[in-house]
Amino acid sequence: MRDAFGQPQSALVLGGTSEIALNVMTKLAMARCKNIVLAVRNTTAGEEAADTLRALGATVSVISMEGTRPETAAGTVEAGFDAAGGHVDLVIIAAAILGEQDDFDDDPAATAELFTVNTTWPAAAMAALRPRLLAQGSGHVAVFSSVAAVRPRRSLYTYSSSKSGLDAFTTGWAESVRSAGIKVQIIRPGFVHSKMTKGKSAPPFTTDADQAAANIVAGLSSNKLIIWSPPVLQWVFLLLRHLPQALWRKMPG
Amino acid sequence: MIPSSDATLAGWGNTAPSRATLKRPRSASEVAEIISGSSNHLIARGLGRSYGDPAQSAGGTVIDNRGLVQRSTIDPETGVISLGAGVSLDELLRESIPAGYFVPVTPGTRQVTVGGAIAADIHGKNHHVDGSFMNHIESMSVVTPTGTFTTSPTQDAELFWATAGGMGLTGVVIEAKLRLMPIETSYVLVDTERFDNLDALMEEMVTGDHRYRYSVAWVDCMTKGARLGRGVLTRGDHATADQIDLTKPRLEAPGAPKLSIPFTAPKGLLNKFSIAAFNEAWFRKAPKRKDAEVQSLSTFFHPLDGVSMWNRLHGPRGFLQYQFVVPDSASELVPQAMELLSSRSVPSFLAVLKRFGAGNAGLMSFPTAGWTLALDIPVGASHASSVLDELDGMVANAGGRIYLAKDSRLSPHLIPDMYPELTQFQAICDRVDPNHRFASDLSRRLNLRG
């Protein structure tokens, strides 16, 4: 159950090997979160992640998920709740593909797959989550979007727009569960130095995964719909989203 | 049909709401019908004055006891009255004070039900003399999944003492026989004394409390250095008829609230600056020393009942109350706790410091002999969480405990240390509720049912 500070005791992470999500879970496990389920594509990597959390005294289950097959999303959610013992305080949706824009530009199959993993599967999972959360009478869902979702650009438009879709879906979904007392938050990290972004050129306002996790954990205990990391990006993007396209094109990063 | 609705429920601190089906039975048989007719978690709720999450049950059924209002007249020989669990102390006092009786134990508000008072085994300013609420209950009936039981200290005593302070986990209290205290007037003669530091205050409480039935100190935890813990000690006794001005009505029932906070205050209204300013003004307002001041029962016992919904002042994120007790052998924990909060800038409203007498046989009952300190803390200060975790450890090491009726954030691993009779309590819960039907957000958070 959540405590007065909004700290969860149980969590289900869909996309449990995401580096930022794992850093977030490490901080939550050091506090009250001792019952964790990681849904992962690669169970070997998932077990490694689980061991990190187990070392902090958490009980961790690893289940497999297939983000390329949206028809499996409901089953993954069900397995995740079962592994947690029936009640989950916090669900984090973190599964995503980033990739290189060049690989998607002229490739219909790769583009379709990225949208499946980043948008379709998470949306299907949230549709499966909704009745479960309403029945359990409390809950908190945090969905990883990205600052890139706010305004796509040439260098990353496939990823960005897939996150825009999920971000918009979550905004509406949050309204649909609001009166039932379910807390929903959209996480929009800026550029994070991690294995996912290795070798990419970094724009201003970057963080490492640990700083991003600290910002996100602070945000999770607030009542804000959108968690920005670093928080200053909220104001930066208030400006950037309205820049004329000709100027936006010239922005670094 | 038993009235039923879907509701979002939270404690008085407004911190972790959850949704449940709320049902309002009017009799023991309707309570039994609700228990047998549902398959999810159950817990009873009174007026929702517990600060945290003991009277809510996410995804379950919450049994509103406010339909259980039957009551007898007061027995003139013994002062005993039989009360439905949903009767509030306010309703009781409106009737009993004009008849010359006061409740033997009252918390800082009259807006609690008899059922809630039993579930938390509440205490008041007279604990060092009269003990807690359950010391004055002659018998009660409890509806559980395995039947209805009448319990008393001599009949099914194990269920009686498991229900005392058991946070509603043994079942639903339907009614109880309470021994009232005869009074000659509705006034208290109060001695007030102001102390510039904590040592002098605590010394006076140790040496002088036994001369008074009621004693409590209000302490400022936001000052630093030598003035840390400066406070105002108020102590008193019921006034007899010959001690008051006879132009006043001798036995006057409490009035309705004069003020109400109409909406939730904006975030951050109460912060370390506004709270420090409030504490300062309040300290300066108190007289250095004043003896035998005549105060009404309401002014002395329930000052906050004059303002309804005052919890809204704490803003949308709510607040928590932190109350611990430590034995006399660990009295140094009182200044240590204040220093910790002050040095780490955790804002706290006036703290309430009091001495407890010996505890009763309640397995989960909070009061034990020693010092108890209660603090109001706004949730906005996120670093407060780790500071309070640190304080929990100090309290547990000192052989102390946290009050479950106030808790909203304790870590479950400390419960067996703080409540050493937990296993016995769980065994009795299992006897009357083998399938663990009774559960609240509190019991699930702290794993109280095991």
Coordinates of all heavy atoms in Angstrom, one line a residue, chain B residues 343-424:
Chain B
S343 N 17.0 20.3 13.5 CA 18.2 20.4 12.8 C 18.0 20.1 11.3 O 18.7 20.5 10.4 CB 19.3 19.6 13.4 OG 19.0 18.2 13.3
R344 N 17.1 19.2 11.0 CA 16.9 18.8 9.6 C 15.7 19.6 9.0 O 15.3 19.2 7.9 CB 16.6 17.3 9.5 CG 17.6 16.4 10.2 CD 18.8 16.2 9.3 NE 18.5 15.1 8.4 CZ 18.6 13.8 8.7 NH1 19.1 13.5 9.9 NH2 18.2 12.9 7.8
S345 N 15.3 20.7 9.7 CA 14.3 21.6 9.1 C 13.0 20.9 8.7 O 12.4 21.2 7.6 CB 14.8 22.3 7.9 OG 15.8 23.2 8.3
V346 N 12.6 19.9 9.5 CA 11.2 19.3 9.2 C 10.2 20.2 10.0 O 10.3 20.3 11.2 CB 11.2 17.9 9.7 CG1 9.7 17.4 9.6 CG2 12.1 17.0 8.9
P347 N 9.4 20.9 9.3 CA 8.5 21.8 10.0 C 7.4 21.0 10.9 O 6.9 20.0 10.4 CB 7.8 22.6 8.9 CG 7.9 21.8 7.7 CD 9.1 20.9 7.9
S348 N 7.2 21.5 12.1 CA 6.2 20.8 12.9 C 5.4 21.8 13.7 O 6.0 22.7 14.3 CB 6.9 19.8 13.9 OG 6.0 19.5 14.9
F349 N 4.1 21.6 13.6 CA 3.2 22.4 14.5 C 3.5 22.1 15.9 O 4.3 21.2 16.2 CB 1.8 22.1 14.2 CG 1.1 23.2 13.5 CD1 0.6 23.0 12.2 CD2 0.9 24.4 14.2 CE1 0.0 24.1 11.6 CE2 0.2 25.4 13.5 CZ -0.2 25.3 12.2
L350 N 3.0 22.9 16.8 CA 3.1 22.6 18.3 C 3.0 21.1 18.5 O 2.1 20.5 18.1 CB 2.0 23.3 19.0 CG 2.0 24.8 18.8 CD1 0.7 25.4 19.4 CD2 3.2 25.4 19.5
A351 N 4.0 20.7 19.3 CA 4.0 19.3 19.6 C 3.2 19.1 21.0 O 3.2 20.0 21.8 CB 5.4 18.7 19.7
V352 N 2.6 18.0 21.2 CA 2.0 17.7 22.4 C 2.8 16.7 23.2 O 3.1 15.6 22.7 CB 0.5 17.2 22.2 CG1 -0.1 16.8 23.5 CG2 -0.3 18.2 21.5
L353 N 3.2 17.1 24.4 CA 4.0 16.2 25.3 C 3.2 15.8 26.5 O 2.5 16.6 27.1 CB 5.3 16.9 25.7 CG 6.2 16.2 26.6 CD1 6.8 15.0 25.9 CD2 7.4 17.1 27.0
K354 N 3.2 14.5 26.8 CA 2.4 14.1 28.0 C 3.1 12.8 28.6 O 3.9 12.1 28.0 CB 1.1 13.7 27.4 CG 0.2 13.0 28.1 CD -1.2 13.0 28.2 CE -1.5 12.2 29.4 NZ -1.3 12.8 30.7
R355 N 2.8 12.6 29.9 CA 3.2 11.4 30.5 C 2.1 10.4 30.6 O 1.0 10.8 30.9 CB 3.7 11.8 31.9 CG 5.0 12.5 32.0 CD 5.5 12.8 33.4 NE 5.8 11.6 34.1 CZ 6.7 10.7 33.9 NH1 7.5 10.9 32.8 NH2 6.9 9.7 34.6
F356 N 2.5 9.2 30.2 CA 1.5 8.1 30.4 C 1.7 7.3 31.7 O 2.8 7.2 32.1 CB 1.7 7.1 29.2 CG 1.0 7.4 27.9 CD1 1.5 6.8 26.7 CD2 -0.1 8.2 27.9 CE1 0.8 7.1 25.5 CE2 -0.7 8.5 26.7 CZ -0.3 8.0 25.5
G357 N 0.6 6.8 32.2 CA 0.7 5.9 33.3 C 0.9 4.5 32.7 O 1.1 4.3 31.5
A358 N 0.7 3.5 33.6 CA 0.8 2.1 33.1 C -0.2 1.8 32.0 O -1.3 2.3 32.0 CB 0.7 1.1 34.3
G359 N 0.2 0.9 31.1 CA -0.7 0.5 30.0 C -1.7 -0.6 30.6 O -1.6 -1.0 31.7
N360 N -2.7 -0.9 29.7 CA -3.6 -2.0 30.1 C -3.3 -3.3 29.4 O -2.2 -3.4 28.8 CB -5.1 -1.6 29.8 CG -5.3 -1.3 28.4 OD1 -4.6 -1.8 27.5 ND2 -6.3 -0.4 28.1
A361 N -4.2 -4.3 29.4 CA -3.9 -5.6 28.8 C -4.1 -5.6 27.3 O -4.0 -6.7 26.7 CB -4.7 -6.7 29.5
G362 N -4.5 -4.5 26.7 CA -4.7 -4.5 25.3 C -3.5 -4.9 24.5 O -2.4 -4.3 24.7
L363 N -3.6 -5.9 23.6 CA -2.5 -6.5 23.0 C -1.8 -5.5 22.0 O -0.6 -5.5 21.8 CB -2.9 -7.8 22.2 CG -3.4 -8.9 23.0 CD1 -3.8 -10.1 22.2 CD2 -2.3 -9.4 24.0
M364 N -2.7 -4.7 21.4 CA -2.1 -3.7 20.4 C -2.4 -2.3 20.9 O -2.3 -1.3 20.2 CB -2.8 -3.9 19.1 CG -2.5 -5.2 18.4 SD -0.8 -5.5 18.1 CE -0.6 -4.5 16.6
S365 N -2.8 -2.1 22.2 CA -3.1 -0.8 22.7 C -1.8 0.0 22.8 O -0.7 -0.5 23.2 CB -3.7 -1.0 24.1 OG -4.0 0.2 24.7
F366 N -1.9 1.3 22.4 CA -0.6 2.1 22.3 C 0.0 2.5 23.6 O 1.2 2.4 23.8 CB -1.0 3.3 21.4 CG 0.1 4.4 21.5 CD1 1.3 4.2 20.9 CD2 -0.2 5.6 22.0 CE1 2.3 5.2 20.9 CE2 0.7 6.6 22.0 CZ 2.0 6.4 21.4
P367 N -0.8 3.0 24.6 CA -0.2 3.6 25.8 C 0.6 2.6 26.6 O 0.1 1.6 27.0 CB -1.4 4.2 26.6 CG -2.5 4.4 25.6 CD -2.3 3.2 24.6
T368 N 1.8 3.0 27.0 CA 2.6 2.3 28.0 C 3.3 3.4 28.8 O 3.5 4.5 28.3 CB 3.7 1.4 27.3 OG1 4.4 2.3 26.4 CG2 3.1 0.3 26.5
A369 N 3.7 3.1 30.0 CA 4.2 4.1 30.9 C 5.4 4.8 30.3 O 6.3 4.2 29.7 CB 4.6 3.4 32.2
G370 N 5.4 6.1 30.4 CA 6.6 6.9 29.9 C 6.1 8.2 29.3 O 5.2 8.8 29.7
W371 N 6.9 8.7 28.3 CA 6.7 9.9 27.7 C 6.1 9.7 26.3 O 6.6 8.9 25.5 CB 8.0 10.7 27.5 CG 8.6 11.1 28.8 CD1 9.6 10.5 29.5 CD2 8.3 12.4 29.5 NE1 9.9 11.2 30.6 CE2 9.2 12.4 30.6 CE3 7.5 13.4 29.3 CZ2 9.1 13.4 31.6 CZ3 7.4 14.5 30.2 CH2 8.3 14.4 31.3
T372 N 5.1 10.5 26.0 CA 4.5 10.5 24.6 C 4.6 11.9 24.0 O 4.3 12.9 24.7 CB 3.1 9.9 24.6 OG1 2.7 9.8 23.2 CG2 2.1 10.7 25.3
L373 N 5.0 11.9 22.8 CA 5.2 13.1 22.0 C 4.4 13.0 20.7 O 4.6 12.0 20.0 CB 6.7 13.4 21.7 CG 7.0 14.8 21.0 CD1 6.7 15.9 22.0 CD2 8.4 14.8 20.6
A374 N 3.6 14.0 20.4 CA 2.8 13.9 19.1 C 3.1 15.2 18.3 O 3.0 16.3 18.9 CB 1.3 13.8 19.4
L375 N 3.4 15.0 17.0 CA 3.7 16.2 16.2 C 2.9 16.2 14.9 O 2.7 15.1 14.3 CB 5.2 16.0 15.7 CG 6.2 15.8 16.8 CD1 7.2 14.7 16.4 CD2 7.0 17.1 17.0
D376 N 2.5 17.3 14.5 CA 1.8 17.5 13.1 C 2.8 17.9 12.1 O 3.5 18.9 12.3 CB 0.7 18.6 13.2 CG -0.6 18.1 13.8 OD1 -0.6 16.9 14.2 OD2 -1.5 18.9 13.8
I377 N 2.9 17.2 11.0 CA 4.0 17.5 10.0 C 3.3 17.5 8.6 O 2.7 16.6 8.2 CB 5.1 16.4 10.1 CG1 5.8 16.5 11.4 CG2 6.1 16.6 8.9 CD1 6.7 15.3 11.7
P378 N 3.5 18.6 7.9 CA 2.9 18.7 6.5 C 3.7 17.7 5.6 O 4.9 17.5 5.8 CB 3.1 20.1 6.1 CG 3.8 20.9 7.2 CD 4.2 19.9 8.3
V379 N 3.0 17.1 4.7 CA 3.6 16.1 3.8 C 4.5 16.7 2.8 O 5.4 16.0 2.2 CB 2.5 15.2 3.2 CG1 3.1 14.3 2.1 CG2 2.0 14.2 4.3
G380 N 4.3 18.0 2.5 CA 5.0 18.6 1.4 C 6.6 18.5 1.5 O 7.3 18.4 0.5
A381 N 7.1 18.5 2.7 CA 8.5 18.3 2.9 C 9.0 16.9 2.7 O 8.8 16.1 3.6 CB 8.9 18.8 4.3
S382 N 9.4 16.6 1.5 CA 9.6 15.2 1.1 C 10.8 14.5 1.9 O 10.8 13.3 2.2 CB 9.9 15.0 -0.4 OG 11.0 15.8 -0.8
H383 N 11.7 15.4 2.4 CA 12.8 14.8 3.2 C 12.4 14.3 4.5 O 13.1 13.6 5.2 CB 14.0 15.8 3.3 CG 13.6 17.0 4.2 ND1 12.7 18.0 3.8 CD2 14.0 17.4 5.4 CE1 12.6 18.9 4.7 NE2 13.4 18.5 5.7
A384 N 11.1 14.8 4.9 CA 10.6 14.3 6.2 C 10.5 12.8 6.3 O 10.7 12.2 7.4 CB 9.2 15.0 6.4
S385 N 10.3 12.2 5.2 CA 10.1 10.7 5.2 C 11.4 10.0 5.7 O 11.2 9.2 6.6 CB 9.9 10.2 3.7 OG 9.8 8.9 3.7
S386 N 12.5 10.4 5.3 CA 13.7 9.7 5.8 C 14.1 10.1 7.2 O 14.6 9.3 8.0 CB 14.9 9.9 4.8 OG 15.2 11.3 4.7
V387 N 13.8 11.4 7.5 CA 14.0 11.8 8.9 C 13.2 11.0 9.9 O 13.6 10.6 10.9 CB 13.8 13.3 9.1 CG1 14.0 13.8 10.5 CG2 14.7 14.1 8.2
L388 N 11.9 10.8 9.5 CA 11.0 10.1 10.4 C 11.4 8.6 10.4 O 11.3 7.9 11.5 CB 9.6 10.2 9.9 CG 9.0 11.6 10.1 CD1 7.5 11.7 9.6 CD2 9.0 12.1 11.5
D389 N 11.9 8.1 9.3 CA 12.5 6.7 9.4 C 13.6 6.6 10.4 O 13.6 5.6 11.2 CB 13.0 6.3 8.0 CG 11.9 5.9 7.0 OD1 10.7 5.8 7.4 OD2 12.2 5.7 5.8
E390 N 14.4 7.6 10.5 CA 15.5 7.6 11.4 C 14.9 7.6 12.9 O 15.4 6.9 13.7 CB 16.3 8.8 11.2 CG 17.8 8.7 11.4 CD 18.5 10.0 11.0 OE1 18.5 10.3 9.8 OE2 19.1 10.6 11.8
L391 N 13.9 8.5 13.0 CA 13.3 8.6 14.4 C 12.6 7.3 14.8 O 12.7 6.9 15.9 CB 12.3 9.8 14.3 CG 11.8 10.3 15.6 CD1 12.9 10.6 16.6 CD2 11.1 11.7 15.3
D392 N 12.0 6.6 13.8 CA 11.4 5.3 14.1 C 12.4 4.3 14.7 O 12.1 3.6 15.7 CB 10.8 4.6 12.8 CG 9.7 5.3 12.2 OD1 9.0 6.1 12.9 OD2 9.5 5.1 10.9
G393 N 13.6 4.3 14.1 CA 14.6 3.4 14.6 C 15.0 3.7 16.0 O 15.2 2.8 16.8
M394 N 15.1 5.0 16.3 CA 15.5 5.5 17.6 C 14.4 5.1 18.6 O 14.7 4.6 19.7 CB 15.7 7.0 17.7 CG 17.0 7.4 16.9 SD 16.9 9.2 16.4 CE 16.8 10.0 18.0
V395 N 13.2 5.2 18.2 CA 12.0 4.9 19.1 C 12.0 3.4 19.4 O 11.9 2.9 20.5 CB 10.7 5.4 18.5 CG1 9.5 4.8 19.3 CG2 10.6 6.9 18.5
A396 N 12.2 2.6 18.3 CA 12.1 1.1 18.5 C 13.3 0.7 19.4 O 13.1 -0.2 20.3 CB 12.2 0.5 17.1
N397 N 14.5 1.2 19.2 CA 15.6 0.8 20.0 C 15.4 1.2 21.4 O 16.0 0.5 22.3 CB 16.9 1.6 19.5 CG 17.5 0.9 18.3 OD1 17.2 -0.3 18.1 ND2 18.2 1.6 17.5
A398 N 14.7 2.2 21.7 CA 14.5 2.7 23.1 C 13.3 1.9 23.7 O 12.9 2.2 24.9 CB 14.2 4.1 23.1
G399 N 12.8 0.9 23.0 CA 11.7 0.1 23.6 C 10.3 0.8 23.5 O 9.4 0.5 24.2
G400 N 10.3 1.8 22.6 CA 9.0 2.6 22.4 C 8.3 2.1 21.2 O 8.6 1.1 20.5
R401 N 7.2 2.8 20.9 CA 6.3 2.5 19.8 C 5.6 3.7 19.2 O 5.6 4.7 19.8 CB 5.3 1.4 20.2 CG 4.5 1.9 21.4 CD 3.4 1.0 21.8 NE 3.8 -0.3 22.1 CZ 3.1 -1.2 22.9 NH1 1.9 -0.8 23.3 NH2 3.5 -2.4 23.1
I402 N 5.1 3.5 18.0 CA 4.3 4.5 17.3 C 2.8 4.2 17.4 O 2.4 3.0 17.4 CB 4.7 4.5 15.8 CG1 6.2 4.7 15.6 CG2 3.9 5.4 14.9 CD1 6.7 6.1 16.0
Y403 N 2.0 5.2 17.5 CA 0.6 5.1 17.7 C -0.1 4.8 16.3 O 0.0 5.6 15.4 CB 0.0 6.4 18.2 CG -1.4 6.4 18.7 CD1 -2.2 5.2 18.8 CD2 -2.0 7.6 19.0 CE1 -3.5 5.3 19.3 CE2 -3.4 7.6 19.4 CZ -4.1 6.5 19.6 OH -5.4 6.5 20.0
L404 N -0.7 3.6 16.2 CA -1.2 3.2 14.9 C -2.4 4.0 14.4 O -2.6 4.2 13.2 CB -1.7 1.7 14.9 CG -0.5 0.7 15.2 CD1 -1.1 -0.7 15.2 CD2 0.6 0.8 14.2
A405 N -3.1 4.6 15.3 CA -4.3 5.5 14.9 C -3.8 6.8 14.3 O -4.5 7.5 13.6 CB -5.1 5.8 16.1
K406 N -2.5 7.1 14.5 CA -1.9 8.3 13.8 C -1.1 7.9 12.6 O -0.8 8.8 11.8 CB -1.0 9.0 14.9 CG -1.7 9.4 16.2 CD -2.5 10.6 16.0 CE -3.2 11.0 17.3 NZ -2.4 11.6 18.3
D407 N -0.6 6.7 12.5 CA 0.4 6.3 11.6 C -0.1 6.4 10.1 O -1.2 5.9 9.8 CB 1.0 5.0 11.8 CG 2.1 4.6 10.8 OD1 3.0 5.4 10.7 OD2 1.9 3.6 10.0
S408 N 0.8 6.8 9.2 CA 0.5 6.7 7.8 C 1.7 6.4 7.0 O 1.7 6.5 5.8 CB -0.1 8.0 7.3 OG 0.7 9.1 7.6
R409 N 2.8 6.1 7.7 CA 4.1 5.9 6.9 C 5.1 5.0 7.6 O 6.2 4.9 7.0 CB 4.7 7.3 6.6 CG 4.5 8.4 7.6 CD 5.4 8.3 8.8 NE 6.7 7.9 8.6 CZ 7.5 7.3 9.4 NH1 7.0 7.0 10.6 NH2 8.7 6.9 9.1
L410 N 4.8 4.3 8.6 CA 5.8 3.5 9.3 C 6.2 2.3 8.4 O 5.4 1.9 7.5 CB 5.2 2.9 10.6 CG 6.0 2.2 11.6 CD1 7.2 3.0 12.1 CD2 5.2 1.7 12.7
S411 N 7.4 1.8 8.6 CA 7.8 0.6 7.8 C 7.4 -0.7 8.6 O 7.5 -0.7 9.8 CB 9.4 0.7 7.7 OG 9.8 -0.5 7.1
P412 N 6.9 -1.7 7.8 CA 6.3 -2.8 8.5 C 7.3 -3.6 9.3 O 6.9 -4.3 10.3 CB 5.8 -3.7 7.3 CG 6.3 -3.1 6.1 CD 6.7 -1.7 6.4
H413 N 8.6 -3.5 9.0 CA 9.5 -4.4 9.7 C 9.7 -4.0 11.2 O 10.2 -4.8 12.0 CB 10.9 -4.4 9.0 CG 11.7 -3.2 9.2 ND1 11.6 -2.0 8.5 CD2 12.8 -3.0 10.1 CE1 12.5 -1.2 8.9 NE2 13.2 -1.7 9.9
L414 N 9.3 -2.8 11.6 CA 9.4 -2.4 13.0 C 8.3 -2.8 13.9 O 8.3 -2.8 15.1 CB 9.6 -0.9 13.0 CG 11.0 -0.4 12.5 CD1 10.9 1.1 12.5 CD2 12.1 -0.9 13.4
I415 N 7.1 -3.2 13.3 CA 5.9 -3.5 14.0 C 6.2 -4.6 15.1 O 5.8 -4.5 16.3 CB 4.8 -3.9 13.1 CG1 4.3 -2.6 12.3 CG2 3.6 -4.5 13.9 CD1 3.6 -1.6 13.1
P416 N 6.8 -5.8 14.8 CA 7.0 -6.8 15.8 C 7.8 -6.3 17.0 O 7.6 -6.8 18.1 CB 7.7 -7.9 15.0 CG 7.4 -7.7 13.6 CD 7.3 -6.2 13.4
D417 N 8.8 -5.4 16.8 CA 9.5 -4.9 17.9 C 8.7 -3.9 18.7 O 8.8 -3.9 19.9 CB 10.7 -4.1 17.4 CG 11.8 -5.0 16.8 OD1 11.8 -6.2 17.1 OD2 12.6 -4.5 16.0
M418 N 7.9 -3.1 18.0 CA 7.1 -2.1 18.8 C 5.9 -2.7 19.5 O 5.5 -2.2 20.5 CB 6.7 -1.0 17.8 CG 7.8 -0.1 17.2 SD 7.2 1.2 16.2 CE 8.6 2.2 15.9
Y419 N 5.4 -3.7 18.9 CA 4.2 -4.4 19.5 C 4.5 -5.8 19.7 O 4.2 -6.7 18.9 CB 3.0 -4.2 18.6 CG 2.4 -2.8 18.6 CD1 2.9 -1.8 17.7 CD2 1.5 -2.4 19.5 CE1 2.5 -0.5 17.7 CE2 1.1 -1.0 19.6 CZ 1.6 -0.1 18.7 OH 1.1 1.2 18.7
P420 N 5.2 -6.2 20.8 CA 5.7 -7.5 21.0 C 4.6 -8.6 21.2 O 4.9 -9.8 21.1 CB 6.5 -7.4 22.3 CG 6.2 -6.1 22.9 CD 5.7 -5.2 21.8
E421 N 3.3 -8.1 21.4 CA 2.3 -9.1 21.5 C 1.5 -9.3 20.2 O 0.4 -9.9 20.2 CB 1.3 -8.7 22.6 CG 2.0 -8.8 24.0 CD 1.2 -8.1 25.1 OE1 0.8 -7.0 25.0 OE2 1.0 -8.8 26.2
L422 N 2.2 -8.9 19.1 CA 1.6 -9.0 17.8 C 1.2 -10.5 17.4 O 0.1 -10.7 16.9 CB 2.6 -8.5 16.7 CG 2.1 -8.5 15.3 CD1 1.0 -7.5 15.0 CD2 3.3 -8.3 14.3
T423 N 2.0 -11.4 17.7 CA 1.7 -12.8 17.4 C 0.4 -13.3 18.1 O -0.4 -14.0 17.5 CB 2.9 -13.8 17.7 OG1 4.0 -13.0 18.0 CG2 3.1 -14.7 16.6
Q424 N 0.3 -13.0 19.4 CA -0.9 -13.3 20.1 C -2.1 -12.7 19.5 O -3.2 -13.3 19.3 CB -0.8 -12.8 21.6 CG -0.2 -13.7 22.5 CD 0.1 -12.9 23.8 OE1 1.1 -12.3 23.9 NE2 -0.9 -13.0 24.8

